[in-house]
Amino acid sequence: MNTSGQDSQYSGYNFAYLDEQTKRMIRRALLKAVAIPGYQVPFGGREMPMPYGWGTGGMQLTASILGANDVLKVIDQGADDTTNAVSIRTFFERVAHVETTTRTEAASVIQTRHRIPEKALSKGQILVYQVPIPEPLRFIEPSEEETRVMHALEEYGVMHVKLYEDIARHGHIATTYAYPVKVDERYVMDPSPIPKFDNPKLNMSDALMLFGAGREKRLYAIPPYTRVKSLDFEDHPFEIQAWDTPCELCGATDSFLDEVITDDQGGRMFVCSDTDYCQNRREEVA
Amino acid sequence: MKRPQLKRPALLDARNITRLYGPNQGCQDIDFTLHQGEVLGIVGESGSGKSTLLRVLSGLEAPDEGQVIYHSTQQASAAAGSATENLDLYAIGEARRRALLRMEWGLVHQNPRDGLRLGVSAGANVGERLMALGQRHYGDLRAAGQDWMERVELDPRRIDDAPRTFSGGMQQRLQIARTLVTQPRLVFMDEPTGGLDVSVQARLLDMLRTLTRELGLSVILVTHDLAVARLLAHRLMVMRQGRVVEAGLTDQILDDPQHPYTQLLVSSVLTP
């Protein structure tokens, strides 16, 4: 990471917006997070020039790890062309002057909201998640003091109370996103609001995964090649979503599909949520 | 011929427990032994330190002085087999203490809303302690839930209903089922019949008496109601201003009270 101090095209801003001391502090917290997979490390979150909930946690992490030679990709719900993705990408183009891309395989750092790219990530890539609520135990135990003790003592029985309740009400585990996982057989972690479709991609991944929650000022990590197991019951095993139809644009049957409403007559179509993946497949066919 | 065991082994020792919030506020110099299968009642007026003592005994609050010794028979160590192990409750560390509370002990609150998770169904409430012990089979958890609802005389068809749709007496039964599902050896009860009307109280007491006998539970029961104490407790401790003023067999204390305060307490009972 050769962060050269002042070569931003906007004078007055440090490289990648944050000052060097802040980046150093976040990198120290990241090292701790990588050393204890799944453990939530508090950090001194800074104000970013955008509201909480738009990805301030992910942006602070990206700003801290970005070097001048990095290639950045930003996705929002899998797409490179939605508002959040476009504005964060433009932000880093301006304040860090780094190269950006929409191609998954060409990126060295990918900041994401809600999805993991369909194309398998490779060694050396870093995936940065924007996390709204980092604490998986919160819905059942509102006390922060208590949840920390529960993490420390591995008291994770209550996580299954939630899954039990799902089955009792709906007949199956109805949690479809932010599906809790156990990292390296130790910490229960909320994998940010990714669909459970993406949970298997967390397991033994080649890439480094970093999670940043800006409002709550916590970050956590999954180092490459870490075991990540989705919680389930013996007689109700973990399953991912499946669709009856392939993507109507590229015909993929193995990707996560979004339902798009096309008119007010009830017309709808299912298309890949990962725009880069869909685009590549269509180019291959053409 | 099998003879009944006359000298039952001790389960819990309280040694000179003192926990004071101010002069005469709290409990002081409490010393007793609870044996296996015994129901010990703690009676006294409000402010006499009953609840403070219960909090100290059940691991929720450290005493200023004294020790709580629990004689555990559960897998003391791999080699020792079934040998008992004496655990000093406030010296074993938080992890061990919480594990003990979760697995071998139970706590029934006066207000069932304190002991239940109101956001999830009755079945999830009953199954929680089993899940904490590592049970991961939905069908088994559900069967255990229904079985225990039946044992506390709740309709097992209501297993998916939220506890808030239950009446006060039913919530208390649910709390008891949730506590007893892991078959603890020692249960602490804080006014289990408080706030219930007389006929509901009677049925609940009847059920508690049956369950403690069937499961061979040891119970420490805090109550201000002498009728409840007479029905459930084998032995009584009478507390006043943080101290035990009289202790002995329940019938002996209630029929022949020696201490002036106990005499006052017994003579104040209303009889219809």
Side-chain angles (χ1 to χ4, degrees):
Chain A
M1 263 176 279
N2 51 346
T3 47
S4 44
Q6 298 293 330
D7 72 345
S8 159
Q9 78 182 91
Y10 285 82
S11 59
Y13 281 113
N14 191 31
F15 176 80
Y17 187 74
L18 289 176
D19 62 275
E20 293 302 314
Q21 286 303 330
T22 301
K23 290 200 248 177
R24 206 163 288 156
M25 172 269 296
I26 293 178
R27 284 177 207 144
R28 273 199 293 267
L30 282 171
L31 286 175
K32 183 170 179 181
V34 169
I36 318 172
Y39 173 73
Q40 300 166 42
V41 184
F43 73 103
R46 299 291 188 253
E47 292 287 328
M48 296 300 280
M50 60 200 269
Y52 289 127
W54 289 25
T56 53
M59 278 176 74
Q60 290 179 73
L61 263 51
T62 303
S64 310
I65 59 171
L66 216 53
N69 300 326
D70 271 317
V71 181
L72 180 69
K73 170 182 163 84
V74 184
I75 50 174
D76 172 11
Q77 301 276 11
D80 295 278
D81 52 5
T82 48
T83 317
N84 202 234
V86 171
S87 52
I88 292 176
R89 190 163 57 232
T90 315
F91 177 82
F92 281 114
E93 276 169 6
R94 282 195 187 156
V95 298
H97 213 50
V98 290
E99 192 186 332
T100 56
T101 182
T102 58
R103 288 170 51 232
T104 302
E105 64 275 16
S108 58
V109 176
I110 304 173
Q111 182 172 334
T112 174
R113 171 174 177 252
H114 292 203
R115 279 309 309 279
I116 298 175
E118 302 291 355
K119 189 174 171 59
L121 298 173
S122 55
K123 195 179 163 186
Q125 286 185 307
I126 303 176
L127 196 57
V128 178
Y129 296 74
Q130 304 166 196
V131 179
I133 298 170
E135 180 53 72
L137 299 165
R138 179 160 309 156
F139 70 94
I140 202 127
E141 180 51 69
S143 158
E144 193 64 32
E145 198 183 340
E146 181 68 13
T147 54
R148 282 181 206 189
V149 175
M150 289 162 84
H151 278 297
L153 302 179
E154 263 187 281
E155 289 182 5
Y156 290 135
V158 289
M159 285 314 297
H160 278 83
V161 172
K162 161 101 163 68
L163 300 180
Y164 173 98
E165 196 62 10
D166 262 5
I167 303 174
R169 278 193 200 164
H170 307 285
H172 59 97
I173 299 178
T175 304
T176 52
Y177 66 94
Y179 193 102
V181 294
K182 198 162 203 178
V183 180
D184 201 27
E185 290 169 22
R186 176 59 182 87
Y187 282 98
V188 163
M189 190 195 89
D190 185 339
S192 101
I194 60 170
K196 66 177 173 184
F197 181 88
D198 286 340
N199 271 20
K201 296 178 192 164
L202 297 169
N203 186 39
M204 298 305 275
S205 166
D206 292 333
L208 169 64
M209 316 252 181
L210 305 175
F211 300 78
R215 190 194 329 253
E216 310 222 359
K217 301 176 174 46
R218 304 272 190 88
L219 54 84
Y220 47 103
I222 304 177
Y225 314 112
T226 304
R227 287 162 298 178
V228 179
K229 190 181 179 309
S230 304
L231 302 181
D232 60 3
F233 283 105
E234 285 159 16
D235 47 348
H236 284 265
F238 174 77
E239 281 170 352
I240 59 173
Q241 295 102 320
W243 288 264
D244 301 332
T245 53
C247 167
E248 285 190 34
L249 297 178
C250 73
T253 54
D254 58 350
S255 73
F256 187 85
L257 302 185
D258 280 340
E259 184 180 6
V260 179
I261 309 256
T262 50
D263 54 34
D264 59 358
Q265 310 296 313
R268 61 195 59 203
M269 63 193 287
F270 285 92
V271 297
C272 289
S273 103
D274 186 336
T275 51
D276 175 57
Y277 181 73
C278 200
Q279 188 71 35
N280 280 345
R281 281 181 53 89
R282 275 182 286 163
E283 279 165 11
E284 274 170 33
V285 172
Chain B
M1 196 183 104
K2 200 178 173 197
R3 292 170 193 280
Q5 196 179 8
L6 290 181
K7 202 165 187 318
R8 292 187 173 180
L11 189 67
L12 190 81
D13 275 319
R15 294 185 188 158
N16 291 314
I17 290 175
T18 298
R19 175 78 185 101
L20 287 176
Y21 305 106
N24 288 330
Q25 288 172 20
C27 59
Q28 18 188 343
D29 303 329
I30 312 283
D31 212 51
F32 70 89
T33 299
L34 178 78
H35 297 88
Q36 265 175 34
E38 189 179 34
V39 179
L40 174 69
I42 303 175
V43 296
E45 61 195 2
S46 53
S48 61
K50 310 186 294 280
S51 297
T52 307
L53 177 60
L54 193 76
R55 287 178 60 79
V56 171
L57 293 175
S58 60
L60 299 178
E61 197 170 319
D64 298 334
E65 271 171 56
Q67 287 176 311
V68 182
I69 309 288
Y70 174 65
H71 304 281
S72 172
T73 50
Q74 302 268 333
Q75 18 85 32
S77 65
S82 67
T84 57
E85 188 189 8
N86 298 338
L87 302 174
D88 183 340
L89 193 58
Y90 291 98
I92 53 176
E94 194 178 10
R96 190 78 196 274
R97 185 162 66 241
R98 284 172 67 118
L100 199 66
L101 279 173
R102 214 167 49 231
M103 295 178 198
E104 294 187 47
W105 292 11
L107 179 59
V108 176
H109 295 264
Q110 175 174 7
N111 186 342
R113 289 178 191 83
D114 295 338
L116 292 171
R117 282 195 195 281
L118 293 176
V120 297
S121 66
N125 268 292
V126 178
E128 181 179 335
R129 276 169 74 110
L130 291 173
M131 291 184 239
L133 289 182
Q135 216 181 102
R136 296 287 179 265
H137 192 282
Y138 177 78
D140 292 352
L141 287 166
R142 206 166 166 79
Q146 280 168 330
D147 176 41
W148 271 97
M149 286 182 75
E150 230 160 323
R151 287 173 86 160
V152 297
E153 297 164 27
L154 288 170
D155 184 354
R157 280 172 303 181
R158 296 198 61 183
I159 187 165
D160 291 333
D161 291 358
R164 66 168 63 86
T165 65
F166 288 26
S167 72
M170 289 162 75
Q171 287 180 350
Q172 193 57 278
R173 283 158 194 277
L174 188 63
Q175 192 195 183
I176 289 164
R178 168 189 158 92
T179 309
L180 296 186
V181 67
T182 50
Q183 314 242 338
R185 297 174 73 210
L186 175 58
V187 177
F188 300 93
M189 296 188 187
D190 190 3
E191 309 264 9
T193 56
L196 301 177
D197 69 58
V198 189
S199 60
V200 175
Q201 247 187 48
R203 284 185 55 202
L204 191 74
L205 287 172
D206 191 40
M207 186 198 85
L208 275 177
R209 201 156 61 151
T210 314
L211 282 175
T212 49
R213 203 176 47 229
E214 276 176 4
L215 302 171
L217 282 181
S218 306
V219 179
I220 294 183
L221 169 80
V222 162
T223 181
H224 65 273
D225 189 336
L226 292 182
V228 171
R230 189 193 276 278
L231 213 55
L232 285 177
H234 302 142
R235 217 149 50 91
L236 274 190
M237 291 201 314
V238 183
M239 286 185 71
R240 187 178 186 226
Q241 291 182 347
R243 292 175 192 275
V244 174
V245 294
E246 195 169 353
L249 297 175
T250 304
D251 289 345
Q252 180 194 330
I253 286 191
L254 294 182
D255 296 339
D256 182 19
Q258 300 292 314
H259 191 274
Y261 174 69
T262 317
Q263 290 169 351
L264 177 76
L265 205 63
V266 172
S267 64
S268 316
V269 174
L270 297 171
T271 36

